[in-house]
């Protein structure tokens, strides 16, 4: 399969290979080993064939139990499925309806501040700790094929996972932020259409702005998590070691598995 960042998935969005990113010490991430995505619930046979051709060996679902029950994954044929909920309910609002959002997002700035709170909790909540610990341990035991990790939109819970994984592999923070913000580029058409449809149906501009904040990523969001990590642990490597219990030896093992 060709090396390409954005995968040709028709019935899902934000499907991306993390291969090719360089590390600070001159290596690069192997292609077809780490895949970050949005929901797998609506994939058709052709989409699953794309994933089977990589192939996907592990499907890591970071969504809350109610999201999984409502829209279960269409699991690639060679993949083993793991459900590792970052939150017990969808705190990111990625799976909530416009009506549900409208009930709590009428004041300007609500969406932005809500996402700041989400990233604080992803860095400190016990459920998030357990999910990301297990994800990193599964990475350590995946010797062939690709580990795919996802939530609903593939941007927040997935974005935090990508930050931790890329940091563990030694990718520079500037490149990690660029990958994080790539979500906005690859989902722009979808988001613009969605937000315009809200306007066409009479939504207030405050609600549209809040919905836009929920549906996108921003440097402030990820930097919130980074700031908490730095304040409490000094740097992300110490966070991985002292909070997520990933030892320096295991970091070296991850790099052997996923770097050229």
């Amino acid at each position: 399969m060709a090396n390409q960042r954005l995968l040709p998935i028709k019935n899902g969005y934000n499907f991306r290979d993390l291969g090719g990113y360089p590390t600070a010490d001159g290596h690069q991430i192997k292609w077809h080993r780490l895949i970050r995505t949005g929901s797998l619930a609506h994939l058709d046979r052709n989409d699953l064939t794309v994933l089977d051709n990589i192939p996907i060996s592990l499907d890591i679902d970071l969504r809350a139990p109610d999201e999984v029950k409502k829209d279960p994954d269409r699991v690639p044929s060679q993949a083993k499925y793991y459900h590792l909920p970052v939150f017990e309910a969808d705190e990111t609002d990625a799976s909530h309806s416009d009506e549900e959002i409208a009930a709590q997002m009428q004041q300007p700035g609500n969406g932005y501040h809500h996402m700041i709170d989400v990233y604080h909790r992803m860095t400190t909540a016990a459920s998030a700790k357990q999910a990301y610990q297990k994800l990193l341990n599964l990475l350590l035991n995946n010797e062939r094929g690709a580990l795919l990790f996802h939530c609903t939109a593939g941007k927040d819970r997935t974005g935090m996972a990508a930050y931790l994984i890329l940091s563990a592999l030694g990718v520079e923070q500037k490149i990690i932020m660029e990958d994080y913000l790539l979500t906005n580029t690859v989902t722009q058409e979808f988001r613009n259409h969605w937000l315009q449809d809200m306007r066409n149906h009479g939504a207030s501009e405050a609600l549209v702005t809040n919905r836009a904040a929920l549906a996108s990523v921003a440097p402030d969001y990820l930097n919130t998590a980074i700031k908490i990590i730095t304040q409490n642990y000094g740097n992300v490597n110490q966070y991985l070691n002292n909070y997520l219990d990933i030892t320096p030896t295991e970091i070296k093992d991850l790099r052997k598995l996923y770097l050229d």
Side-chain angles (χ1 to χ4, degrees):
M1 186 172 180
N3 295 340
Q4 57 189 108
R5 180 74 58 221
L6 188 62
L7 301 181
I9 299 295
K10 302 298 183 183
N11 297 284
Y13 58 91
N14 217 3
F15 280 65
R16 289 145 52 191
D17 194 319
L18 294 178
Y21 284 130
T23 65
D25 61 356
H27 295 278
Q28 72 172 24
I29 295 177
K30 295 177 181 178
W31 290 94
H32 318 313
R33 291 285 279 143
L34 293 168
I35 310 292
R36 57 169 295 175
T37 83
S39 175
L40 276 62
H42 306 293
L43 304 183
D44 65 13
R45 183 174 298 176
N46 290 332
D47 294 328
L48 287 168
T49 297
V50 171
L51 299 181
D52 287 338
N53 286 340
I54 291 175
I56 305 299
S57 54
L58 294 173
D59 170 9
I60 311 302
D61 190 343
L62 301 173
R63 298 177 298 163
D66 55 339
E67 295 172 271
V68 174
K69 183 177 180 180
K70 179 181 177 183
D71 291 305
D73 274 10
R74 297 205 67 195
V75 180
S77 64
Q78 301 172 62
K80 187 172 182 179
Y81 174 83
Y82 288 89
H83 179 212
L84 308 179
V86 172
F87 297 127
E88 289 306 311
D90 177 17
E91 297 189 20
T92 69
D93 289 319
S95 64
H96 295 166
S97 69
D98 290 337
E99 291 76 15
E100 290 172 315
I101 298 299
Q104 55 184 305
M105 291 290 166
Q106 292 293 347
Q107 297 300 314
N110 280 6
Y112 171 85
H113 293 297
H114 176 76
M115 294 310 300
I116 295 295
D117 290 341
V118 166
Y119 278 76
H120 186 285
R121 283 190 38 73
M122 282 197 294
T123 316
T124 60
S127 57
K129 178 181 181 179
Q130 183 176 2
Y132 292 133
Q133 276 182 315
K134 180 64 174 176
L135 170 59
L136 289 163
N137 280 301
L138 288 169
L139 280 168
L140 282 163
N141 291 286
N142 186 44
E143 296 187 356
R144 58 181 60 86
L147 181 145
L148 179 152
F149 57 100
H150 78 93
C151 50
T152 292
K155 67 184 188 71
D156 300 310
R157 291 164 288 187
T158 299
M160 187 68 191
Y163 167 72
L164 294 171
I165 293 167
L166 293 176
S167 295
L169 294 177
V171 176
E172 292 183 358
Q173 297 293 295
K174 177 177 180 291
I175 295 173
I176 295 175
M177 182 62 78
E178 289 172 355
D179 173 76
Y180 173 74
L181 295 175
L182 185 58
T183 285
N184 289 341
T185 301
V186 302
T187 64
Q188 184 173 6
E189 182 177 352
F190 167 79
R191 286 183 293 110
N192 287 347
H193 177 79
W194 182 22
L195 296 172
Q196 187 57 51
D197 189 60
M198 288 180 64
R199 292 187 181 96
N200 293 342
H201 285 82
S204 69
E205 199 56 36
L207 177 57
V208 172
T209 300
N210 284 326
R211 196 53 154 143
L214 297 175
S216 60
V217 292
D220 284 359
Y221 299 169
L222 185 56
N223 281 332
T224 294
I226 294 171
K227 182 178 179 181
I228 293 167
I229 287 170
T230 302
Q231 286 177 339
N232 290 291
Y233 296 91
N235 58 53
V236 65
N237 289 328
Q238 292 299 316
Y239 179 82
L240 289 164
N241 184 198
N242 295 324
Y243 183 72
L244 295 180
D245 298 321
I246 305 301
T247 68
T249 298
E250 289 172 327
I251 295 292
K252 290 180 181 178
D253 290 340
L254 280 173
R255 295 180 180 185
K256 289 177 184 177
L257 283 169
Y258 295 97
L259 300 181
D260 284 330

